[in-house]
């Protein structure tokens, strides 16, 4: 049976790719089809699905800064949307009840509010998968969407604890010690090195230290995975750890989407009401847009974030299932939510993939924010008189900046991701701003790009430089581009991808070292008879 599941998932994912849809749509459809032919989920599929979700949330934590959750647009935006969305869905279902929709008869206001609350969540798994496939996890709208999803996870934990009457165990207060022993975690991460031990470290911390520890003290395991990831997010190997877990996580998540389809028990009444909920889904997207627009993001950022959250969530199933077991909701409503969630994924997948195209078509209908009122994180960037942009102000970028300054004066603008590095560079007198050159929004926000004649790609990781190069070409940059590389094959790849020049940092460092030694020490060598 497992071989049948794997074969069907592969074929359906392949067909989805050929139809320009995310593979997860194929996995969902596979689950429905297999269920129709009598197949059901099993313990192995369920276990692997849970592992995939846990590793996904741990990976999110590795890339999430706690300051993201403390931002007003995240915690206030998530809270406001959750409240308004719950009321909106409850009101819409109440109106349908008065219009005579049979499947809603007999439900009171409290029950409608519970359904509205279950429908207010968006899917963390779906949204993150979509952002990863588009390479826009670091985009402003991507980090905004992920922050809101994490806040929704916290709301779910609070609801589940309150509704069951089960508070965390008293010794859960020991979890507040975790930040204080973070240096120990960092040492362990340093000691495990690379390769298989790094992968095993990630699995151990996600499943045991995160999910397992939180479950022992009576808290939601998924919350533990996110928090443990966040505790490691400032480590220099956090990005490497996330990449090492990527393929394993992706494989397990195939089981997650299969499991949704295999676990559904469709009924005609449930299917019809689920289609009604799909018709109401655009109201949720519009509400996201309205709420985020209150925080003065650019229309593009607001729209793309709203489209990323344009779905129902597996948390709706958890909330609905709990309400059903508590006797608050009838079984038909749980079936309805179980059907509506995967259908919302299938509807949202092509819409999210075409988000940029939808923005281009709808931008003239949407009222833009005034430049002076824009959120500081989303403000337009004016490079001023800079003719050279240096992306990455580490040792190489700083050296290039100083050399160009000594030769041509103040013609450079440095772009650096780390805010503390930006502050230090400014203290030393350099013209440097905070920005992420791998963020598609960054290039959308830069004004007067035509004035820039040269861009130096000096970020420490080759993949970051490659992403920035691709984005520059997508934005039709007309100037010259030079890049650094650690290996000759990376150098050739950069040149083949459109860079005008690429330099191996090790060979260049050796050349520069020899030149400076000769200039400073002026050694007197005897003529060599051979070359």
């Amino acid at each position: 049976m497992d071989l049948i599941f794997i074969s069907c998932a592969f074929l359906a994912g392949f067909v989805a790719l050929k139809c320009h849809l995310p593979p997860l749509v194929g996995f969902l459809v596979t689950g429905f089809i297999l269920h129709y032919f009598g197949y059901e989920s099993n313990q192995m599929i369920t276990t692997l699905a849970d592992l995939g979700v846990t590793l996904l949330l741990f990976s999110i934590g590795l890339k999430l800064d706690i300051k993201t959750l403390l931002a007003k647009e995240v915690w206030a935006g998530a809270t406001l949307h959750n409240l308004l969305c719950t009321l909106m869905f409850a009101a819409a279902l109440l109106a349908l009840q008065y219009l005579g929709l049979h499947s809603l008869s007999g439900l009171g206001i409290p029950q409608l509010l519970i359904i509205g609350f279950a429908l207010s969540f968006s899917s963390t798994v779906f949204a993150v998968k979509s952002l990863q496939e588009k390479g826009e996890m670091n985009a402003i709208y991507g980090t905004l969407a992920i922050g809101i999803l994490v806040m929704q996870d916290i709301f779910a934990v609070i609801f589940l604890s309150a509704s069951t009457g089960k508070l965390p165990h008293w010794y859960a207060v020991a979890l507040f010690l975790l930040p204080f022993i973070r240096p120990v975690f960092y040492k362990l991460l340093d000691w495990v090195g690379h390769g298989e031990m790094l992968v095993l470290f990630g699995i151990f911390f996600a499943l045991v230290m995160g999910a397992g520890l939180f479950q022992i003290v009576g808290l939601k395991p998924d919350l533990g995975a996110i928090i443990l990831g966040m505790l490691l997010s400032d480590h220099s190997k956090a990005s490497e750890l996330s990449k090492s877990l990527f393929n394993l996580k992706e494989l397990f998540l195939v089981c997650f989407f299969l499991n949704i389809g295999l676990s559904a028990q469709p009924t005609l009444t449930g299917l019809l009401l689920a289609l009604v909920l799909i018709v109401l889904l655009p109201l949720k997207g519009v509400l996201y847009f309205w709420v985020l627009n209150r925080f003065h993001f650019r229309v593009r950022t607001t729209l793309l974030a709203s489209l990323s959250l344009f779905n129902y969530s597996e948390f709706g199933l958890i909330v609905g299932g709990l309400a059903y077991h508590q006797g608050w909701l009838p079984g038909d409503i749980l079936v309805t939510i179980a059907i509506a969630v995967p259908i919302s994924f299938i509807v949202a997948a092509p819409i999210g993939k075409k988000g940029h195209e939808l923005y281009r078509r709808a931008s003239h209908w949407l009222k833009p924010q005034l430049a002076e009122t824009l959120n500081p994180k989303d403000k337009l960037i004016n490079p001023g008189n800079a003719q050279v942009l240096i992306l990455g102000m580490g040792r190489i970028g700083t050296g290039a900046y100083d050399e160009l300054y000594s030769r041509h004066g103040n013609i450079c603008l440095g772009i650096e991701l780390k805010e503390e590095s930006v502050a230090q560079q400014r203290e030393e007198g350099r013209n440097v701003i905070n920005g992420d050159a791998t963020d598609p929004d960054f290039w959308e926000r830069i004004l007067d790009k035509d004035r820039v004649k040269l861009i130096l790609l000096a970020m420490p990781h080759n993949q970051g430089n490659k992403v920035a190069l691709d984005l520059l070409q997508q934005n039709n940059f007309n100037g010259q581009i030079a890049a650094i590389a650690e290996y000759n094959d990376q150098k050739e790849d950069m040149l083949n991808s459109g860079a005008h020049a690429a330099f191996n940092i090790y060979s260049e460092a050796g050349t520069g070292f020899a030149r400076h030694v000769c200039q400073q020490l002026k050694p007197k060598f005897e003529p060599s008879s051979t070359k």
Side-chain angles (χ1 to χ4, degrees):
M1 182 182 294
D2 295 334
L3 293 178
I4 294 175
F5 288 166
I6 294 171
S7 301
C8 292
F10 172 76
L11 291 174
F14 183 78
V15 171
L17 276 177
K18 290 300 180 181
C19 295
H20 304 289
L21 292 171
L24 64 87
V25 174
F27 306 147
L28 284 167
V29 173
T30 298
F32 281 123
I33 294 175
L34 289 173
H35 187 274
Y36 176 79
F37 284 103
Y39 291 93
E40 294 182 354
S41 182
N42 56 40
Q43 187 59 45
M44 187 191 77
I45 293 289
T46 302
T47 300
L48 293 179
D50 292 340
L51 290 176
V53 172
T54 302
L55 290 177
L56 174 70
L57 295 175
F58 180 69
S59 299
I60 293 172
L62 288 173
K63 299 177 181 179
L64 191 65
D65 189 342
I66 187 62
K67 291 183 289 186
T68 301
L69 298 183
L70 297 177
K72 182 171 63 176
E73 57 268 14
V74 173
W75 67 263
T79 303
L80 182 60
H81 181 271
N82 187 263
L83 290 173
L84 294 178
C85 198
T86 299
L87 294 174
M88 179 192 70
F89 276 118
L93 294 175
L94 182 62
L96 291 171
Q97 189 182 61
Y98 277 112
L99 290 174
L101 190 62
H102 176 71
S103 52
L104 294 174
S105 60
L107 296 179
I109 299 295
Q111 293 168 302
L112 295 177
L113 287 172
I114 291 173
I115 298 172
F117 181 70
L119 298 175
S120 69
F121 293 96
S122 296
S123 172
T124 302
V125 178
F126 179 87
V128 173
K129 278 281 294 175
S130 299
L131 289 168
Q132 285 179 337
E133 288 172 0
K134 294 187 291 184
E136 297 180 356
M137 282 281 290
N138 293 326
I140 293 174
Y141 85 87
T143 56
L144 178 61
I146 290 171
I148 289 173
L149 289 166
V150 173
M151 287 302 303
Q152 290 182 353
D153 289 350
I154 294 173
F155 298 156
V157 171
I158 294 172
F159 173 81
L160 294 175
S161 299
S163 58
T164 57
K166 295 180 179 178
L167 295 175
H169 300 300
W170 65 267
Y171 44 84
V173 296
L175 295 177
F176 288 105
L177 296 176
L178 287 176
F180 297 101
I181 59 176
R182 181 163 55 174
V184 178
F185 300 159
Y186 278 25
K187 281 293 183 183
L188 283 173
L189 186 50
D190 288 329
W191 289 339
V192 296
H194 310 277
E196 66 274 11
M197 282 304 297
L198 183 63
V199 176
L200 192 57
F201 173 90
I203 295 173
F204 172 75
F205 263 72
L207 302 183
V208 180
M209 295 297 295
L213 186 61
F214 273 61
Q215 189 171 27
I216 288 172
V217 301
L219 287 171
K220 200 167 182 293
D222 293 346
L223 184 63
I226 290 179
I227 290 178
L228 261 292
M230 291 171 64
L231 287 175
L232 298 173
S233 62
D234 285 337
H235 194 280
S236 58
K237 289 173 68 174
S239 177
E240 183 184 354
L241 176 59
S242 177
K243 291 175 183 176
S244 71
L245 296 172
F246 181 81
N247 290 331
L248 195 62
K249 172 196 67 180
E250 294 292 289
L251 179 62
F252 290 160
L253 286 177
V254 172
C255 297
F256 171 81
F257 292 108
L258 272 176
N259 198 43
I260 289 179
L262 287 166
S263 301
Q265 299 286 341
T267 63
L268 181 59
T269 302
L271 178 60
L272 293 176
L273 186 53
L275 293 176
V276 171
L277 295 182
I278 296 301
V279 172
L280 295 176
L281 183 59
L283 296 178
K284 183 177 184 178
V286 170
L287 188 57
Y288 269 123
F289 186 91
W290 182 85
V291 169
L292 296 178
N293 201 45
R294 301 305 97 192
F295 296 97
H296 301 286
F297 285 98
R298 289 180 301 133
V299 169
R300 180 180 182 275
T301 300
T302 303
L303 180 63
L304 293 178
S306 301
L307 292 178
S308 298
L309 300 168
F310 183 72
N311 52 68
Y312 295 124
S313 171
E314 58 278 4
F315 273 127
L317 291 173
I318 297 173
V319 171
L322 176 63
Y324 170 72
H325 290 300
Q326 296 284 86
W328 300 338
L329 291 178
D332 281 348
I333 298 299
L334 181 58
V335 171
T336 294
I337 298 174
I339 298 172
V341 169
I343 293 178
S344 75
F345 292 173
I346 294 171
V347 171
I351 294 175
K353 190 172 183 179
K354 295 182 179 296
H356 296 282
E357 182 181 341
L358 291 173
Y359 167 71
R360 285 192 294 271
R361 293 185 177 183
S363 57
H364 62 282
W365 297 100
L366 302 171
K367 183 180 178 181
Q369 297 279 0
L370 297 175
E372 58 271 19
T373 65
L374 281 173
N375 189 295
K377 296 179 181 178
D378 212 19
K379 280 188 177 295
L380 302 177
I381 299 171
N382 186 352
N385 295 321
Q387 300 176 56
V388 180
L389 297 185
I390 301 177
L391 310 182
M393 289 297 289
R395 285 175 293 180
I396 295 175
T398 300
Y401 184 106
D402 293 342
E403 179 68 16
L404 288 169
Y405 183 85
S406 66
R407 289 173 178 267
H408 304 287
N410 191 21
I411 64 168
C412 297
L413 173 64
I415 312 294
E416 173 58 41
L417 179 62
K418 297 179 180 178
E419 294 182 3
E420 58 273 18
S421 298
V422 173
Q424 182 179 346
Q425 292 279 355
R426 287 177 176 173
E427 287 179 6
E428 295 173 359
R430 299 183 186 92
N431 182 25
V432 180
I433 63 172
N434 179 244
D436 182 1
T438 65
D439 174 4
D441 286 344
F442 177 80
W443 299 106
E444 293 281 345
R445 292 158 53 208
I446 291 186
L447 301 172
D448 299 328
K449 286 192 284 284
D450 294 339
R451 187 179 298 172
V452 178
K453 298 178 181 178
L454 173 65
I455 291 181
L456 304 183
L457 304 178
M459 289 179 282
H461 301 293
N462 182 70
Q463 184 60 29
N465 290 322
K466 183 68 165 56
V467 170
L469 177 60
D470 293 340
L471 292 173
L472 282 167
Q473 293 181 321
Q474 292 173 21
N475 282 271
N476 300 316
F477 175 67
N478 295 319
Q480 294 180 308
I481 303 171
I484 62 170
E486 295 179 86
Y487 306 102
N488 285 330
D489 60 329
Q490 294 177 350
K491 174 181 173 180
E492 294 301 319
D493 185 39
M494 283 292 185
L495 293 172
N496 294 333
S497 298
H500 299 88
F503 304 92
N504 185 308
I505 55 176
Y506 298 118
S507 61
E508 291 296 318
T511 302
F513 177 53
R515 184 173 61 250
H516 283 295
V517 166
C518 292
Q519 289 175 350
Q520 185 170 343
L521 301 182
K522 296 182 175 58
K524 296 180 180 180
F525 300 112
E526 295 181 4
S528 174
S529 59
T530 59
K531 290 187 178 180

